[in-house]
Amino acid sequence: MKELVDVHYRDAEVIRLVVDNLNIHTPSALYEIFSPQEARRIIQKLEFHYTPKHASWLNQVEIELSVLSRQCLERRIPNAETLTSEIAAWEKQRNQQKASVYWGFQTKDARRKMQRLYPDLT
């Protein structure tokens, strides 16, 4: 965070961070690393936006990156130009297919698989 504030975006008025709900992605974590004054200085430039805990768009991104890795990147790619063109071709194909994330695990499935954790609603 310090590098974001002091190096990459030092002229920005505010830096908006989209983060998951991991316990280290909180302003208080900075107080564990830096002095209170330094932590406060860094935090004043940051604006935290947390993704939902369950079925977030972040999960979808992770799934899509996994698909990219399996379908496009599981081989040696000789240079950055080839990598860029391969990813662009893969992306174009995925968009033409209107590929989307399928959430196969539904609430009814969860209730069946984890019966002991869910109350009977009947």
Side-chain angles (χ1 to χ4, degrees), residues 42-97:
I42 295 168
I43 290 167
Q44 286 179 326
K45 294 247 332 213
L46 301 176
E47 185 177 290
F48 288 82
H49 295 271
Y50 296 95
T51 60
K53 286 187 179 184
H54 304 288
S56 74
W57 65 267
L58 190 58
N59 297 118
Q60 294 177 29
V61 171
E62 289 171 344
I63 290 167
E64 197 66 14
L65 287 173
S66 175
V67 173
L68 169 66
S69 179
R70 286 191 318 263
Q71 293 180 352
C72 184
L73 304 178
E74 281 195 340
R75 59 196 162 84
R76 186 180 182 292
I77 298 175
N79 54 49
E81 295 80 23
T82 303
L83 176 64
T84 301
S85 68
E86 292 288 319
I87 291 174
W90 175 85
E91 180 183 12
K92 182 178 179 183
Q93 181 183 14
R94 292 286 288 175
N95 288 337
Q96 286 173 345
Q97 293 172 340

